[in-house]
């Protein structure tokens, strides 16, 4: 039996509940929202427990929950009590920027009203408005867990979440801020020696973080100021530079005997940034632009691909 505060087990349970929440063929919206709200609480608990199980343990006079969370005494889910949802959301608000406690509590309060009173609960907000607000907060907790959305809902349903997130005007800004703030937090914990053991074991080297695209250049990390790697594969533009001294001018026919002096500059569309110093990864153009990273960079190309190649002759 897994420990009641095990963040991996909480993550798996959140996945199960969200699978039910996204099953719109057989469930009404209020039932879907109920499962989703339960999953949000599990994600918040998992994100905090991954840092330290003590963050989700309800303190009492005997200290039983704290002792179980610290590993000093054994205990299962029947003996362990976690903190209330309101406390979870308040702690996530402080720990995982830009998680919004007020927005999260609207979801939690809707759940409580749905279960414990005669109020409208989730029905007070129409589904097309409720889901974008829900996924905006859930996505931040997924980032805090150093996970991706497709790991939570599966690749087949990731597009559904993305469409809801795109309806939220602040999503891109919040997503970028969450990634950068989480990277800063990881780096600080590592420098101070307080990074949880399991998180430290997941720390990757530069080559492991990189996307291994065709072109790359060193780029300053927006989170920690270290040297990161900006990558791309699409050649947006290319410029061939010919020598002028002792050869030919820009308006003259090139002399192939000077081909060794020709250089090529390629403009590459940036698509991916990674930093081994804080483990920040910005995996698409929109995130790079929001983080203030140039979305194009220049590299030196191979002149043989653009100039001086002998034509191929056939035998027919």
């Amino acid at each position: 039996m897994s420990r009641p505060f095990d963040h991996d087990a909480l993550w798996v349970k959140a996945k199960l509940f969200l699978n039910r929440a996204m099953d719109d063929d057989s469930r009404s919206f209020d039932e879907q929202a109920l499962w989703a709200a339960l999953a949000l609480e599990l994600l918040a608990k998992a994100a905090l427990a991954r840092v330290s199980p003590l963050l989700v343990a309800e303190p009492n006079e005997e200290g039983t929950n704290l002792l179980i969370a610290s590993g000093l005494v054994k205990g299962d889910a029947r003996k362990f009590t976690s903190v209330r949802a309101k406390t979870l959301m308040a702690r996530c608000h402080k720990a995982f920027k830009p998680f919004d406690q007020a927005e999260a509590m609207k979801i939690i309060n809707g759940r409580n009203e749905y279960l414990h009173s005669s109020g409208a609960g989730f029905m007070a907000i129409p589904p097309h408005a409720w889901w974008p607000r829900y996924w905006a907060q859930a996505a931040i907790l997924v980032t805090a867990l150093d996970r991706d959305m497709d790991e939570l809902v599966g690749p087949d349903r990731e597009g559904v979440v993305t469409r809801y997130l795109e309806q939220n005007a602040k999503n891109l800004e919040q997503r970028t801020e969450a990634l950068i703030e989480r990277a800063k937090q990881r780096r600080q914990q590592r420098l101070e020696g307080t990074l949880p053991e399991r998180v430290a074991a997941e720390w990757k080297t530069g080559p492991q973080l990189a996307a291994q695209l065709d072109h790359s250049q060193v780029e300053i990390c927006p989170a920690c100021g270290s040297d990161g790697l900006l990558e791309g594969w699409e050649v947006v533009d290319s410029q061939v530079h010919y020598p002028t001294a002792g050869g030919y001018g820009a308006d003259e026919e090139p002399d192939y005997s000077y081909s060794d002096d020709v250089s090529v500059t390629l403009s590459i569309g940036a698509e991916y940034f990674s930093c081994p110093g804080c483990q920040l990864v910005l995996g698409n153009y929109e995130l790079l632009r929001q983080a203030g990273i140039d979305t194009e960079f220049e590299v030196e190309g191979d002149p043989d691909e653009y100039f001086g190649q002998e034509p191929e002759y056939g035998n027919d």
Side-chain angles (χ1 to χ4, degrees), residues 164-297:
Y164 278 125
L165 288 173
E166 287 173 347
Q167 294 176 33
N168 189 325
K170 290 188 176 180
N171 172 62
L172 184 61
E173 179 183 349
Q174 291 177 335
R175 170 70 172 156
T176 306
E177 184 181 353
L179 287 168
I180 291 176
E181 290 297 329
R182 175 61 183 143
K184 289 179 179 178
Q185 186 181 68
R186 274 193 303 263
R187 179 177 171 82
Q188 189 63 31
Q189 287 180 302
R190 195 176 195 223
L191 291 174
E192 294 175 352
T194 59
L195 193 67
E197 203 172 300
R198 296 181 70 174
V199 180
E202 299 169 359
W203 202 272
K204 297 178 181 179
T205 64
Q208 290 172 326
L209 276 180
Q212 307 295 339
L213 302 183
D214 292 346
H215 306 282
S216 63
Q217 77 164 15
V218 174
E219 182 74 23
I220 299 300
C221 176
C224 70
S226 302
D227 285 347
L229 192 68
L230 187 61
E231 300 178 69
W233 65 269
E234 182 181 1
V235 178
V236 178
D237 189 23
S238 62
Q239 293 184 350
V240 181
H241 307 288
Y242 301 103
T244 56
Y248 42 83
D251 298 329
E252 298 175 332
E253 287 296 324
D255 183 345
Y256 287 94
S257 65
Y258 289 91
S259 60
D260 290 342
D261 297 323
V262 173
S263 64
V264 176
T265 300
L266 304 179
S267 295
I268 308 299
E271 296 187 31
Y272 189 93
F273 172 83
S274 59
C275 174
C278 63
Q279 304 290 282
L280 175 65
V281 171
L282 301 173
N284 59 51
Y285 171 89
E286 288 78 12
L287 291 173
L288 294 174
R289 184 175 60 180
Q290 183 66 39
I293 295 177
D294 288 338
T295 53
E296 287 188 14
F297 61 94

Side-chain angles (χ1 to χ4, degrees), residues 4-314:
F5 49 79
D6 181 76
H7 74 273
D8 282 329
L10 292 166
W11 166 262
V12 171
K13 193 171 183 179
K15 290 175 63 174
L16 172 64
F17 284 7
L18 276 171
N19 184 61
R20 295 173 180 173
M22 299 183 77
D23 186 8
D24 52 7
D25 292 335
S26 58
R27 303 185 195 278
S28 61
F29 166 63
D30 53 350
E31 185 181 355
Q32 288 180 291
L34 173 62
W35 287 115
L38 293 170
L40 186 71
E41 183 174 351
L42 288 169
L43 287 173
K45 194 178 295 184
L48 290 168
R50 185 167 181 264
V51 177
S52 172
L54 293 171
L55 292 174
V56 300
E58 176 70 29
N60 54 20
E61 188 174 348
E62 298 82 10
T64 303
N65 298 314
L66 297 175
L67 290 169
I68 293 174
S70 66
L72 291 174
V73 300
K74 292 184 178 180
D76 55 28
R78 291 172 296 180
K79 299 178 180 179
F80 182 80
T81 304
S82 61
V83 295
R84 295 177 302 165
K86 181 179 180 180
T87 303
L88 289 173
M89 302 310 163
R91 291 178 179 177
C92 286
H93 177 78
K94 293 180 180 179
F96 308 125
K97 297 178 181 178
F99 186 81
D100 191 325
Q101 179 186 357
E103 278 293 304
M105 285 310 300
K106 290 177 184 177
I107 297 169
I108 299 301
N109 290 336
R111 178 199 69 182
N112 294 339
E113 185 178 0
Y114 180 78
L115 289 175
H116 304 300
S117 78
S118 59
F122 303 112
M123 302 307 291
I125 303 175
H128 71 270
W130 191 88
W131 284 111
R133 297 166 68 175
Y134 173 84
W135 285 115
Q137 302 310 312
I140 295 169
L141 295 177
V142 171
T143 298
L145 282 157
D146 298 325
R147 301 271 194 165
D148 293 320
M149 188 58 72
D150 66 330
E151 297 178 73
L152 180 65
V153 301
D156 292 342
R157 284 174 165 167
E158 184 183 14
V160 175
V161 177
T162 300
R163 286 192 290 273
Y164 278 125
L165 288 173
E166 287 173 347
Q167 294 176 33
N168 189 325
K170 290 188 176 180
N171 172 62
L172 184 61
E173 179 183 349
Q174 291 177 335
R175 170 70 172 156
T176 306
E177 184 181 353
L179 287 168
I180 291 176
E181 290 297 329
R182 175 61 183 143
K184 289 179 179 178
Q185 186 181 68
R186 274 193 303 263
R187 179 177 171 82
Q188 189 63 31
Q189 287 180 302
R190 195 176 195 223
L191 291 174
E192 294 175 352
T194 59
L195 193 67
E197 203 172 300
R198 296 181 70 174
V199 180
E202 299 169 359
W203 202 272
K204 297 178 181 179
T205 64
Q208 290 172 326
L209 276 180
Q212 307 295 339
L213 302 183
D214 292 346
H215 306 282
S216 63
Q217 77 164 15
V218 174
E219 182 74 23
I220 299 300
C221 176
C224 70
S226 302
D227 285 347
L229 192 68
L230 187 61
E231 300 178 69
W233 65 269
E234 182 181 1
V235 178
V236 178
D237 189 23
S238 62
Q239 293 184 350
V240 181
H241 307 288
Y242 301 103
T244 56
Y248 42 83
D251 298 329
E252 298 175 332
E253 287 296 324
D255 183 345
Y256 287 94
S257 65
Y258 289 91
S259 60
D260 290 342
D261 297 323
V262 173
S263 64
V264 176
T265 300
L266 304 179
S267 295
I268 308 299
E271 296 187 31
Y272 189 93
F273 172 83
S274 59
C275 174
C278 63
Q279 304 290 282
L280 175 65
V281 171
L282 301 173
N284 59 51
Y285 171 89
E286 288 78 12
L287 291 173
L288 294 174
R289 184 175 60 180
Q290 183 66 39
I293 295 177
D294 288 338
T295 53
E296 287 188 14
F297 61 94
E298 293 184 347
V299 298
E300 185 178 349
D302 183 358
D304 289 340
E305 295 183 6
Y306 295 87
F307 173 76
Q309 293 184 350
E310 293 292 337
E312 296 183 2
Y313 295 97

